[in-house]
Amino acid sequence: MSKKVAVILSGCGVYDGAEIHESVLTLLRLDQRGAQVQCFAPNIAQLQVVDHLTGDEVSETRNVLVESARIARGQIKDLREAKAEAFDALIVPGGFGAAKNLCDFAVSGANMSVQPDVLALAQAFAAAEKPIGLMCIAPSMAAKIFGEGVTCTIGKDADTAAALTQMGARHEECEVDNIVVDPEHKLVTTPAYMLAQSIAEAAAGINKLVDQVLEMA
């Protein structure tokens, strides 16, 4: 019986939304492994909009759900419709949207808070002891989801790791092609584009994360 996996997207584009390579690699690996996937995104305004050609912020307003639909080819639902009991696992790709739209880590650092719908769903998965995969900067939410003592990685960035530690997480350094598994909390994390210099490097760790999450489901 194929596993059912919920994937939370945070917009479309590395600087203000979900990292597109990470998102597509996640969806590809899940499909290759025969999983049933439903994408979700919060129906909220993005924190900011960035011109991905210049890297400059622009004075536009965009919706996280509408932008995420670009990646999901329109097959996406409002996060408020997601129910943990309908799925076997949850995966969240990275990109600055994870730190700007799913939470405010990009602005508040260790004093961050998680968007209420994201937090409620993730904590429901945790309470049901269903596995969660967080990649790139998304593990910044781990301590808020699981509480103190959860083990995760964002790779090797010392300042980011220090913020996670300040929030109560245990950070483990990790190479781009590997994963960190917290079996007690059923959490799997990988650095992805926190370290990756190419799409192939990102894929190596993401494939392992997806495989491990499905194995734990």
Side-chain angles (χ1 to χ4, degrees):
M1 190 175 187
S2 63
K3 304 295 183 184
K4 296 181 179 180
V5 181
V7 175
I8 299 179
L9 300 177
S10 57
C12 183
V14 58
Y15 299 128
D16 58 12
E19 213 296 319
I20 296 173
H21 292 177
E22 291 179 6
S23 302
V24 173
L25 288 167
T26 298
L27 298 174
L28 172 62
R29 189 59 172 178
L30 286 166
D31 191 54
Q32 289 174 334
R33 293 297 307 274
Q36 298 180 51
V37 179
Q38 178 61 57
C39 291
F40 296 94
N43 188 8
I44 58 175
Q46 291 182 186
L47 175 68
Q48 60 181 192
V49 178
V50 176
D51 182 332
H52 280 63
L53 185 62
T54 64
D56 297 327
E57 184 175 358
V58 295
S59 56
E60 293 181 24
T61 300
R62 295 190 185 185
N63 178 280
V64 176
L65 177 58
V66 172
E67 291 301 297
S68 298
R70 295 174 180 270
I71 296 175
R73 294 172 60 86
Q75 301 302 306
I76 194 166
K77 296 181 178 180
D78 187 325
L79 186 60
R80 287 173 289 190
E81 297 181 37
K83 304 296 181 185
E85 55 264 30
F87 297 93
D88 300 299
L90 172 68
I91 296 179
V92 185
F96 274 113
K100 293 178 178 178
N101 303 324
L102 303 186
C103 70
D104 61 358
F105 181 76
V107 176
S108 303
N111 296 314
M112 63 166 278
S113 59
V114 180
Q115 198 274 339
D117 297 326
V118 176
L119 184 62
L121 182 65
Q123 288 185 331
F125 272 89
E129 298 184 348
K130 295 181 177 183
I132 297 177
L134 304 174
M135 61 189 69
C136 192
I137 195 62
S140 61
M141 298 185 285
K144 297 296 183 181
I145 295 168
F146 294 97
E148 292 189 5
V150 65
T151 300
C152 61
T153 190
I154 47 81
K156 298 181 177 180
D157 184 79
D159 290 341
T160 306
L164 269 61
T165 300
Q166 187 178 339
M167 287 188 281
R170 296 173 182 163
H171 183 265
E172 288 187 9
E173 288 197 354
C174 181
E175 297 297 333
V176 66
D177 61 349
N178 214 341
I179 57 176
V180 168
V181 180
D182 181 335
E184 177 185 352
H185 296 95
K186 289 195 172 182
L187 174 65
V188 187
T189 52
T190 192
Y193 273 103
M194 290 293 287
L195 289 177
Q197 298 297 309
S198 69
I199 191 170
E201 284 190 359
I206 289 170
N207 288 347
K208 287 181 180 178
L209 180 146
V210 171
D211 291 351
Q212 182 65 40
V213 166
L214 292 176
E215 183 177 318
M216 297 170 80

